[in-house]
Amino acid sequence: MSATCSHCDLPLVRVAVPPEIREFAPESAAVAGYCPRCLRTYPLEAEEESETEGTADAGSAEVPSAIPNGEGGVALVLAVGLLDSLATNRPAIQSLVEYAERAGADVFLTLDRLAAEESVEPHVDLARRRRQLESLLE
């Protein structure tokens, strides 16, 4: 049985969190899940020893097409999960954005695409948060 979002009741997309950014995952989990609709993140139990870091397992969940594959996508999803409180989560968000960029993800383009994707109804106003994030990171 797969974990589901407590807000949307959709199956979560499982992602293995790279060790370098685990401290920013919910409950510092090695495996996190995110809702493909509202983009909230949750800690998950690691079910398999063989899970590779920085990969997503959608199972029956539909992964938003705007989210890049690999470690950059994982860092980005974790950052979006923290955008509900920019002031409180600033250091973590900055670290995750920098990690995502180093891994080849275009953070601001992804936020624009997520905001425009019809299947996504984020828990925060991504367009507004994007502008705030840009000024925060300058």
Side-chain angles (χ1 to χ4, degrees):
M1 186 169 134
S2 66
T4 58
C5 175
S6 60
H7 297 274
C8 301
D9 203 33
L10 289 174
L12 299 177
V13 177
R14 292 175 57 86
V15 293
V17 181
E20 301 86 0
I21 57 173
R22 235 169 245 168
E23 67 184 287
F24 308 119
E27 297 179 20
S28 299
V31 178
Y34 71 90
C35 177
R37 177 178 295 147
C38 72
L39 305 176
R40 286 181 172 88
T41 55
Y42 300 88
L44 296 178
E45 294 293 321
E47 291 178 359
E48 299 175 20
E49 296 284 326
S50 64
E51 279 194 86
T52 55
E53 291 153 6
T55 60
D57 173 18
S60 59
E62 187 67 32
V63 177
S65 62
I67 296 176
N69 293 325
E71 293 182 1
V74 174
L76 234 157
V77 165
L78 294 177
V80 169
L82 297 173
L83 287 178
D84 55 340
S85 180
L86 274 175
T88 304
N89 298 320
R90 180 182 178 163
I93 293 168
Q94 273 185 293
S95 294
L96 288 166
V97 165
E98 290 168 3
Y99 187 92
E101 288 174 341
R102 281 193 309 273
D106 185 327
V107 173
F108 294 108
L109 179 61
T110 300
L111 292 176
D112 290 343
R113 288 180 176 169
L114 282 171
E117 195 161 321
E118 289 185 22
S119 67
V120 176
E121 297 172 20
H123 67 286
V124 295
D125 179 345
L126 285 181
R128 191 171 131 242
R129 291 295 190 205
R130 182 197 190 284
R131 288 189 302 276
Q132 293 170 334
L133 188 59
E134 273 185 308
S135 51
L136 182 80
L137 297 175
E138 286 179 346

